[in-house]
Amino acid sequence: MKNALFLMTLAAMAGTSSLAIAQAKTDGVLTVATIGEPPTLDAMQTPTDIVLMIDQHIFETLFTYDIKWKSVPLLAASQPTISEDGLTYRIPLREGVKFHDGSDFDAKDVVASLTRWMAVNSKGKQVAGVVDSIAEDGDHAVTIKLKSRYAPLLATLSQASIILPSEKIADTLTEFVGTGPYALKERKPDQYTQLVRFEDYKSPDGEPSNYAGKREAIAKEIRFVPVPDANTRVEGLISGQFDFADSLPVSAFERVEASGKAKPVIYENAGWASLNMNMKEGLLTKKALRQAVQSALNPSDMMLAAFSDKRFFSVDGSIFPKGSFWHTEAGVVRYGEGDPETAAKLIAEAGYDGTPIRLMTSRQYEFHYKIGEVAKAYLEAAGFKVDLQVVDWATLTTRRADPKQWDIFITHSNFPGDPTTINTITDTYPGWYVSDQKAKAVAAYMDATSDEAKFKAWEGIQTVIYDDAPLFKAGNFNALTGVATGVSGYMPTYWPHFWNVTPK
């Protein structure tokens, strides 16, 4: 009898729990403090982090990134079927998906959206150069025919190539209608962007994995509030004004942790810092001197100076971090604790004449400046003369476009879903990394169609990068955000997202 009563009590508790969960899905609100006001909600036009962060709740793409940053289906029903020659991709589409205006998602919407994307988006324009045609294949599939093999196709279809209703497409969007778990309700510039749950949302299957898998709109509303000052974001989080605060200074970690009102959240491998070298004009057109720079630098000391706390950085010669599909040690050389003797030997072999290296950095990114200070010391210890030029970020980006004005500049980037989209290996990116062996390595990658072939080709590219020495990777850095006590289900990602998150 006691066992029966116990089981009945458990059943009643289970029913109450389910009811509580259902209730949480109806009326919760999440208030998110962002780093500023998005310039637009049209990710095709302006695919910046703040735009993509908000947009991903409204719009969806054919593919998205899983935990290893591999491209997996989102609005696509499965991975594409690729022809034997690698030039034709047939992409099946999920059925039963609706847009926020109630219209059905189909192949016509995909063709119209990708056509616009190839006309207005920078990466879309690159894809347009290799696309022969995009056509409907019935209502629930599209066929993309290429002029030549293009390995990054799925990766470029995983970001900013948002799918819109064909009827709403215009040069300038006036209606922001997607298939995402949340719909745009109201936007008041410099005040908030208000999203509400889309009740007819159809989630993809699978366990949540980065941006892939099940998406459940638990909060009834998400309100994104622009808060440009980082300290104000910290204060708002610990006072209970915000449920989530993005991009906090690492110095706030202990204060948030001790507040009792919120907890700090570290997103590992948010990006990487690098010293990019000028291969077009000046001292570092000589490979031996670029390799001398690689040999001279100490990444551990640079990153420790930049971030002060080992919780916020890691040192790894692989261009992609551990956990990424693309992580490999292939080709990594001249990366360690600094080798002034090897650097001095390379300097002598290159006939260095004592002309100062012009090293540009900015204090608007304080960690850039600190990396620059340590780099200067190590380069001078190896025998270089260094002119450390500290300028504002706008000046740096202007100067780096002119090869006559610099030798090294410091910057940072996120980890892209495809290796060939790394800025540095683009011929036209400041630094102007052009070499025959790079061109051959990239061509081998572009020709690959399977993940295994792509990975092997990427190992070849990384090996060439270390040999040509267009850059020096300082290390990987982590990002700090904060979430209010009582909010559950939040999983840190590069662009923070709030489906599957239960409000307090």
Side-chain angles (χ1 to χ4, degrees):
M1 182 65 177
K2 287 182 179 179
N3 285 342
L5 286 171
F6 178 67
L7 292 172
M8 289 170 66
T9 303
L10 281 180
M13 289 173 66
T16 303
S17 176
S18 298
L19 184 62
I21 291 171
Q23 183 70 15
K25 293 179 182 178
T26 61
D27 56 9
V29 177
L30 289 167
T31 303
V32 177
T34 67
I35 62 169
E37 175 69 16
T40 178
L41 293 181
D42 184 354
M44 288 191 194
Q45 294 278 12
T46 311
T48 57
D49 287 346
I50 182 61
V51 174
L52 292 171
M53 175 181 173
I54 297 172
D55 260 26
Q56 65 186 335
H57 298 83
I58 305 170
F59 302 104
E60 294 178 315
T61 48
L62 291 179
F63 299 90
T64 192
Y65 300 120
D66 70 4
I67 196 66
K68 289 183 174 290
W69 288 88
K70 292 175 66 177
S71 294
V72 296
L74 180 52
L75 285 175
S78 65
Q79 294 286 36
T81 302
I82 306 173
S83 63
E84 190 173 340
D85 62 7
L87 299 179
T88 302
Y89 286 63
R90 185 183 186 275
I91 303 173
L93 307 176
R94 289 170 52 210
E95 299 183 35
V97 174
K98 289 188 176 293
F99 287 102
H100 301 152
D101 63 1
S103 62
D104 293 323
F105 158 75
D106 59 23
K108 183 178 180 181
D109 304 308
V110 174
V111 172
S113 298
L114 295 186
T115 300
R116 181 180 188 266
W117 172 69
M118 290 191 299
V120 304
N121 181 267
S122 58
K123 285 190 170 57
K125 290 176 181 178
Q126 292 177 18
V127 173
V130 298
V131 168
D132 183 57
S133 66
I134 300 178
E136 301 170 38
D137 188 350
D139 290 337
H140 302 296
V142 294
T143 299
I144 301 177
K145 293 186 177 181
L146 305 177
K147 300 172 185 175
S148 58
R149 288 190 177 189
Y150 190 74
L153 181 62
L154 297 193
T156 55
L157 292 176
S158 301
Q159 179 183 320
S161 54
I162 55 177
I163 305 302
L164 313 163
S166 57
E167 299 82 5
K168 306 289 185 183
I169 288 178
D171 291 341
T172 301
L173 295 183
T174 56
E175 295 182 67
F176 298 90
V177 178
T179 59
Y182 288 89
L184 176 65
K185 182 176 181 181
E186 184 178 26
R187 183 185 176 200
K188 288 193 173 182
D190 298 318
Q191 295 185 50
Y192 60 80
T193 300
Q194 181 188 18
L195 309 185
V196 294
R197 182 171 56 237
F198 177 40
E199 299 294 351
D200 291 329
Y201 178 67
K202 186 172 182 179
S203 171
D205 295 328
E207 289 297 313
S209 173
N210 205 16
Y211 302 100
K214 184 179 179 182
R215 298 180 170 196
E216 187 174 5
I218 297 175
K220 184 178 182 180
E221 176 185 325
I222 306 173
R223 189 170 291 223
F224 294 93
V225 180
V227 185
D229 183 74
N231 291 324
T232 304
R233 292 197 295 277
V234 173
E235 296 301 326
L237 177 68
I238 63 179
S239 71
Q241 181 183 1
F242 305 130
D243 297 302
F244 178 89
D246 193 23
S247 192
L248 303 182
V250 296
S251 58
F253 184 94
E254 281 75 17
R255 187 150 184 260
V256 173
E257 188 174 45
S259 70
K261 298 291 183 68
K263 57 183 179 181
V265 178
I266 294 175
Y267 174 61
E268 294 184 355
N269 300 319
W272 58 297
S274 62
L275 292 85
N276 289 38
M277 299 186 238
N278 186 346
M279 292 179 59
K280 192 172 186 178
E281 292 190 31
L283 288 173
L284 299 182
T285 55
K286 293 183 178 180
K287 181 192 286 191
L289 287 182
R290 297 195 302 273
Q291 292 183 343
V293 170
Q294 287 179 324
S295 299
L297 295 174
N298 183 314
S300 297
D301 282 357
M302 289 191 291
M303 294 300 284
L304 186 61
F307 294 98
S308 304
D309 188 325
K310 290 186 177 180
R311 289 176 297 184
F312 298 107
F313 73 89
S314 62
V315 171
D316 182 2
S318 171
I319 292 177
F320 283 84
K322 291 178 181 176
S324 166
F325 175 75
W326 305 107
H327 180 269
T328 176
E329 296 296 329
V332 176
V333 290
R334 295 179 297 279
Y335 187 87
E337 300 308 303
D339 184 352
E341 291 182 4
T342 297
K345 183 178 178 181
L346 287 164
I347 288 170
E349 288 175 359
Y352 175 58
D353 63 3
T355 302
I357 289 178
R358 295 161 296 174
L359 172 57
M360 282 201 303
T361 190
S362 171
R363 294 204 79 148
Q364 282 175 275
Y365 293 104
E366 187 69 10
F367 70 98
H368 289 192
Y369 171 70
K370 291 177 178 178
I371 287 172
E373 284 191 310
V374 176
K376 179 177 185 290
Y378 272 94
L379 290 171
E380 288 177 339
F384 284 110
K385 291 183 179 178
V386 181
D387 175 15
L388 183 64
Q389 300 180 358
V390 183
V391 297
D392 62 81
W393 185 246
T395 300
L396 187 148
T397 56
T398 299
R399 282 190 190 175
R400 74 182 184 185
D402 182 355
K404 294 182 173 61
Q405 296 199 44
W406 62 279
D407 298 299
I408 300 175
F409 74 87
I410 296 172
T411 189
H412 71 275
S413 308
N414 69 322
F415 294 102
D418 186 272
T420 59
T421 61
I422 294 172
N423 286 333
T424 305
I425 66 173
T426 303
D427 290 356
T428 56
Y429 184 74
W432 301 279
Y433 175 24
V434 178
S435 81
D436 290 341
Q437 64 173 350
K438 183 198 82 169
K440 290 177 182 177
V442 171
Y445 182 90
M446 291 296 185
D447 203 43
T449 55
S450 69
D451 284 342
E452 294 76 14
K454 289 178 186 178
F455 184 79
K456 183 177 180 181
W458 162 241
E459 289 189 314
I461 294 174
Q462 180 167 284
T463 299
V464 166
I465 289 173
Y466 266 93
D467 182 61
D468 282 334
L471 60 81
F472 182 86
K473 178 184 175 183
N476 309 321
F477 59 84
N478 303 333
L480 179 65
T481 60
V483 62
T485 302
V487 172
S488 63
Y490 174 73
M491 297 297 292
T493 50
Y494 180 76
W495 299 288
H497 66 266
F498 303 98
W499 55 81
N500 302 337
V501 176
T502 302
K504 61 189 177 186

